[in-house]
Structures are given as C-alpha cells and as structure tokens.
Amino acid sequence: MTTRQIPASEFVNGVSVGVGQRCHCDICSTELAPNDRVEVLVTIGPATVAIATLRGPCCSRGELADGTERACWLVRGRLAASTAPGGHSRLILSSAEVADRTE
C-alpha cells in the first residue's frame, strides 16, 4: 500500500473564515471582503483546522512570533465568497499557502 503525501495547502484551502460577505481584521478591525489578501494563524487538530487569528494586509507579520509553543501554521491567502451547505453566504480562504509552521 502506498501513502500519498498531501500538500499542507490542501488542508487550509476552503476553511471558513466568517459568515456573510464581510469580516474584520482581528488586530485593527479593518473591514475585509472577497479578494482581499489575508494572513491567518490556524491551529491544526487531529480532525480540525481552526482559525485562531485573521489579519488584513496592514497587520500581517510574515512569520510566527518567536517562542510560539502550540502547534500552528501561518497561512497567506485570499478571501473568497462561498455558500455554506445550509445556503448561507460565507467567506473562505482560497489560494492559501503555508508560510511558517510549528509542529
């Protein structure tokens, strides 16, 4: 049996960022909309990917803070409009790339 290595970006693309078509930067509260570039800090669990922090372009840091102890990934991507299974609009992370990570 062969095992396929799944690229890290496949885990974070499509992760729900917020309900509706707008959300806010967690640092400066700037309103973000579809197509905006963002940086997110995500925690990866055995069966979950959860967004811990969402930052707009003006508040992006580019790397994890020194001394980060919990397992997390710093991801860069764009916001995209989507529809949740229940029919409600939402924003998801698209074109995501993992920039930095701790294990």
Side-chain angles (χ1 to χ4, degrees), residues 7-49:
S9 61
E10 285 188 31
F11 285 107
V12 292
N13 275 298
V15 171
S16 182
V17 174
V19 177
Q21 295 297 307
R22 302 265 189 252
C23 62
H24 294 89
C25 172
D26 290 339
I27 307 299
C28 69
S29 296
T30 298
E31 187 174 78
L32 304 168
N35 251 358
D36 284 346
R37 292 181 188 271
V38 292
E39 180 179 89
V40 295
L41 184 64
V42 297
T43 55
I44 309 293
T48 61
V49 176

